[in-house]
């Protein structure tokens, strides 16, 4: 698959989530979920994250807000770690989640704070 | 109510949504919804938008992403207009909603693009 | 269909939403949506609203909170009118929606207040 | 953009939603929403609808169920019309929405029946 | 309770989820949750799954799509296992979840793939 | 912070969730999540729970319904325990969750019953 969007996506995904994590995901993929790995890499990380106009730090903050509202703890924890890699500070993450508490409701805010603290512990932030 | 958080909230709310709009909202309020007007002004615009660390432009983008995901078209249209006031460009709004399409799903993205175009027309952007 | 749960549901549905409204719904039903009318009457109004332990006033308040959070404006307006019939006062409706604003987020609260005011106007409350 | 996934997507999108509708969407696109039109065509209609294993009729039914649950009335109406084009009968649409009522809640079911009836009227089904 | 809808529901529920699982659920029920067991068996499995027009395989796929979108991992895992019993292949499950990724968002898709793999392992599929 | 709304919120929060739990939450707070603890205490527990018109028992039932619909298991379990403290009986909790099953869907109901049983076990109810 010599697909430039896929290639760009793979590079960005590795830079945000860590090369090791991404390589392990592909290595662990089987016929069942490989098409999902490819779709995510190409469209999510290539076709959208690969666009200009917004920098990665801003995209990370948007994801924290959205994934909190969408209530997806596994993905949220991964994107908290990615946000730190993209230069979002802990203080800025706190501000995003306070805003989540107001707009998506206090339970969404409380859950997101708890998940962020777990993420910080796991990466020693 | 000489409440500094409320006062700060009122000022920020006016600067983002327009003084006329906010004054009309309070003038139209009755015993039923005045407590809601006050809560929103203090809690939302004072206690959170009034915080530092994130600038208004970033907070506007976070709101566009979240309110799209939360599926609230009335509020989204108002915040598209507020985002323009806070310096978010049309190109940046487009990027936010492309990212919404990936993370919150294509129907959320399509709806948000349609609402944004209505908002642009209403304010001549 | 001599089904006691259906019969009880029909009676309760009429008492909450108005006999005229319910009869019109059944009269307007065709082969496409009659099974839905029947399911809702039996399952929703008979098997759950027909239970004891919680009175209708409490069930109405629970519905206002849930249907706000679920973001279903048509159903919410209908249940605001039903709540008034079940003895929920305007002041109590306001309290439910302030609590919605905190737990389901400010946009959910703002939408619900607007819908409630429309409902009040339509029934002259 | 000589992109085979895009081309396949464009063809499928036209076959499901109508060539006229799709051409009008592209003709009406401006710099703001053209990237969204392209993303949807390639990603949604090419990379997923273009896959085999599930036929279009099944994909249409899945979309009716999901878009009901996701609460997106504009998109739902469009996909009801698309479902009829893909050979889903009115009886089958009714069954999908009865199942929605149980799993996504009665308000989601009621809303979907109402939208479906509007769609049927608009296409004379 | 000689209720034909309940009886039909009990039979279908056992055939999809396994007789042992269902019997254990009823045996473990107490005064608190027995009414829920009965409601689910009668309305969900009897009044809806017991209808004709759509076969069980199609209903299983609809449930996978909806329960993914609704974000209920416990129920999703159970219905992945039920889908295998109803003749949905692993390839078809993959297709459903790719479509979920597009319409309900990538985090919903990623979560559903992970849950499906856990379900496959637990039943040795 | 001599803020009467905060002080009232702190008192109510302790009475519903237990003084020990609340004190531990504040003691465990760091610069990251202390502002969230303060926001929740002041606005959620002071500015809304501190209002009159609805008693605590009713507010607890509203929260059970909403937090079930919003799909936040951690918060739901905590509010099941709080509901027992506020005088909501197990039978009434059952009724709330049966109503959730109808309006927010059967998976929401099933999840809530499971979480409630865990909460009952943890507090020996």
């Amino acid at each position: 698959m010599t697909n430039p969007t896929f290639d760009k996506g793979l590079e960005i995904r590795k830079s945000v989530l860590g090369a090791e994590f991404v390589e392990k995901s592909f290595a662990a993929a089987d016929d069942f979920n490989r098409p999902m790995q490819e779709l995510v890499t190409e469209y999510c990380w290539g076709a959208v994250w690969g666009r200009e106009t917004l920098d990665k730090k801003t995209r990370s903050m948007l994801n924290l807000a959205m994934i909190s509202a969408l209530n997806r703890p596994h993905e949220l924890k991964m994107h908290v770690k990615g946000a730190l890699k993209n230069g979002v500070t802990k203080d800025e993450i706190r501000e995003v989640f306070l805003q989540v508490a107001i707009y998506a409701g206090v339970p969404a805010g409380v859950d997101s704070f708890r998940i962020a603290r777990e993420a910080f512990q796991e990466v020693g932030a």
Side-chain angles (χ1 to χ4, degrees), chain A:
Chain A
M1 183 183 285
T2 57
N3 178 327
T5 310
F6 178 87
D7 293 345
K8 182 163 57 170
L10 189 59
E11 183 192 359
I12 295 172
R13 193 181 178 198
K14 284 179 176 176
S15 84
V16 177
L17 303 185
E20 196 188 4
F21 173 85
V22 174
E23 275 153 18
K24 223 168 59 181
S25 296
F26 271 102
D30 56 16
D31 286 354
F32 178 66
N33 71 339
R34 190 172 302 109
M36 181 66 185
Q37 289 288 329
E38 291 170 355
L39 186 84
V40 167
T41 302
E42 179 174 353
Y43 288 99
C44 197
W45 294 101
V48 170
W49 277 79
R51 292 177 64 85
E52 302 188 349
T53 307
L54 291 184
D55 58 20
K56 283 186 198 155
K57 183 179 169 180
T58 302
R59 290 203 183 275
S60 265
M61 286 193 285
L62 295 175
N63 264 12
L64 295 185
M66 263 195 294
I67 299 175
S68 293
L70 292 166
N71 198 5
R72 296 284 175 181
H74 282 263
E75 293 295 295
L76 184 58
K77 188 186 275 188
M78 200 182 73
H79 279 282
V80 169
K81 296 174 186 174
L84 293 169
K85 280 227 182 81
N86 283 337
V88 187
T89 66
K90 285 176 68 173
D91 281 1
E92 288 167 331
I93 292 174
R94 182 190 64 224
E95 294 305 312
V96 173
F97 291 154
L98 286 170
Q99 199 166 329
V100 164
I102 294 292
Y103 287 93
V106 157
V110 171
D111 274 0
S112 300
F113 270 92
R114 192 186 55 249
I115 290 161
R117 294 182 94 187
E118 291 173 10
F120 295 161
Q121 285 190 318
E122 288 174 20
V123 299

